[in-house]
Structure formats: structure tokens, C-alpha cells
Amino acid sequence: MTVGEAGGRAKELAENLAALRVRLAAACDRAGRDVAEITVIAVTKTWPASDVRLLADLGLTDIGENRDAEAAPKAAECADLPLTWHFVGQLQSRKCRSVVRYADFVHSVDRPHLVRVLAAEARKAGRVITGLVQVNFDPEGGTSPPSGAPRGGIRPGGAVALADEVASEDSLRLGGVMAVAPLGAPPREAFEKLAEIAAEVRARHPGATIISAGMTGDLEEAIEAGATHVRIGTALLGARRPFVR
Ligand SMILES: *Cc1c(COP(=O)(O)O)cnc(C)c1O
């Protein structure tokens, strides 16, 4: 990359961040909330480590990724930066050993077996990982998007018990809950249900204050429903190129 290109990208990211801040402020205004309550996680999947660096220069140090194969080398390339890494994608048990090395937060804890493996790997690595219970609000039955990829998350009825399991592990800290809006349904209802589950979890575990909800398309609804963490890719970095496996 030439100096000119790097400068252009820095300017683009700064402009995107400024526009995002306007959206966040307006959403908080409408919801009667303080924008300081909202943590922006920049989801940098498909974008290079150089963009992570530029975001850090802009003060965005919470970075989200959804695939270990991409996140691990990117985190290594940025090891000199004071970043907090959030793993937000579906997590296979066999990837836990790698993920616990760089991730501070795992937003996609969605089954008891994953709790046990994540806890064991964190313990071995001498780390404490903050886990969020991901809740799946997709309609029962057809849960596969057109790509055929399965969608993560535990059904709402199982979320509190899974949160208890996370809290019981000494190498995990229960952070709260996370959700992605359901496919083909307005996000508001799901985010409101997520907030109810979050309250139930918080009543049992007062430290579990995080509600991770809201992406580029639905951050307003998420903030209105009480989200504390929004996960933003497109609005900050631009449209991702189609993903080819
Ligand atoms: C990609 C991704 C995001 C960001 O999505 P945008 O719509 O680009 O803002 C947020 N959360 C998860 C789990 C993602 O995979």
C-alpha cells in the first residue's frame, strides 16, 4: 500500500466513524440513554490488519472477528497495540485452544460442551475469558440462511442455565448475553426478549451486565432495547467483498 492509499483509507475510516457516532448519539437521544454506556466493537472480518491499526489510531480498540483462521494471525500482527479482541462467530470446540490465546471476550457461548472446553483451554493458557451466552431467536424449524451455514445460539429457554454454567467455571467470567437479530423478522421483539433474559441472568449474577446486540442494520433497535455493546462492521469498514470458502 502506498502512503497515499493508506491516507485515503484512514480518512475513509475516520469519516465512517464520525457518521456512526452521529447515528449512535441520535439513537441514544431517542432512547434517553447516555452514549458513554455504549461500547462499539469494530468487526474487522475480511479486512486487513492495517485497518485494525487505523481503527486503533481513531480510538477504537475493541475489535471483533468471527473466524479463528482469520482472527489468530490478525491478532498476532497487531500484538503491539492495546486491543481487546472479541470472538463473535460460531465457535467449534477444536478452535478453543487457539481462540483463548488472543480473545478476551467470546460472544458465542451456546452449549454446555463449549463451556467446558473453553474453560479447560483458558485454564491451560493461564487466562480468564469473558463469555457471553448467545441466544438464538430464529423461528423454530427453518434456521438455515441461504448459504446453508448453521446459525449459532442457544434457544431462549436454555440461556439462564447456560449462563449459570459459564459462571461456575473459574477460568471464565460471565459477561452477559448476545444475540443476532433473527432472519426475516423485525429485530425489535428479539432484542426486547434478549433484554428480559439479560435481566434474569443479572439477577443471579450481578456482574453479568453486557448486552451485545445490534449491527450496522439494526443498532438503533438494539440501543433502544438496552444494548451495551454494538458489533459494527459495514458502517465502519464498508461493504465486505463476497466471502469465498
Ligand atoms: C459480521 C458480524 C457483525 C457486523 O455486521 P455488520 O452488519 O457488517 O455491521 C456483527 N456481529 C456478528 C456476529 C458478525 O458476524
Side-chain angles (χ1 to χ4, degrees):
M1 195 185 298
T2 68
V3 172
E5 281 166 9
R9 184 60 169 157
K11 186 161 170 284
E12 187 180 349
L13 294 182
E15 286 168 1
N16 290 349
L17 177 58
L20 175 65
R21 295 260 182 242
V22 170
R23 267 182 83 181
L24 290 170
C28 283
D29 249 12
R30 273 198 304 278
R33 299 185 61 193
D34 183 343
V35 77
E37 293 170 24
I38 314 293
T39 299
V40 174
I41 299 169
V43 180
T44 51
K45 65 189 184 205
T46 77
W47 300 101
S50 54
D51 280 351
V52 177
R53 254 167 220 288
L54 294 173
L55 291 168
D57 286 343
L58 293 169
L60 284 179
T61 52
D62 284 278
I63 305 296
E65 285 283 336
N66 73 335
R67 291 173 59 243
D68 175 64
E70 179 181 351
K74 215 181 280 184
E77 268 185 76
C78 297
D80 58 309
L81 298 172
L83 303 175
T84 300
W85 289 88
H86 299 256
F87 192 86
V88 302
Q90 271 188 282
L91 181 52
Q92 295 167 284
S93 301
R94 63 192 172 81
K95 300 287 188 184
C96 286
R97 181 167 306 177
S98 171
V99 167
V100 299
R101 293 198 190 121
Y102 58 86
D104 304 288
F105 290 76
V106 172
H107 289 233
S108 44
V109 178
D110 63 358
R111 55 199 191 277
H113 179 65
L114 182 61
V115 173
R116 289 190 289 274
V117 176
L118 194 63
E121 293 297 350
R123 196 174 305 117
K124 270 192 255 172
R127 301 205 64 215
V128 174
I129 306 290
T130 299
L132 309 188
V133 169
Q134 182 180 355
V135 188
N136 183 330
F137 293 102
D138 282 338
E140 297 279 356
T143 54
S144 283
S147 69
R151 306 240 305 169
I154 191 163
R155 287 291 168 188
V160 173
L162 191 65
D164 287 347
E165 291 196 41
V166 174
S168 74
E169 296 285 352
D170 56 9
S171 58
L172 301 179
R173 188 181 81 84
L174 176 66
V177 296
M178 177 271 216
V180 176
L183 291 166
R188 188 175 308 272
E189 200 180 315
F191 290 157
E192 283 170 3
K193 277 193 220 147
L194 182 68
E196 283 169 27
I197 293 167
E200 217 178 310
V201 168
R202 217 162 43 235
R204 302 159 74 88
H205 309 284
T209 56
I210 296 175
I211 301 178
S212 168
M215 318 194 333
T216 292
D218 53 25
L219 67 90
E220 284 84 2
E221 289 90 342
I223 285 174
E224 227 160 282
T228 63
H229 289 55
V230 292
R231 308 178 309 269
I232 308 296
T234 308
L236 277 172
L237 292 134
R240 289 180 290 275
R241 273 150 291 177
F243 178 67
V244 183
R245 265 180 212 279

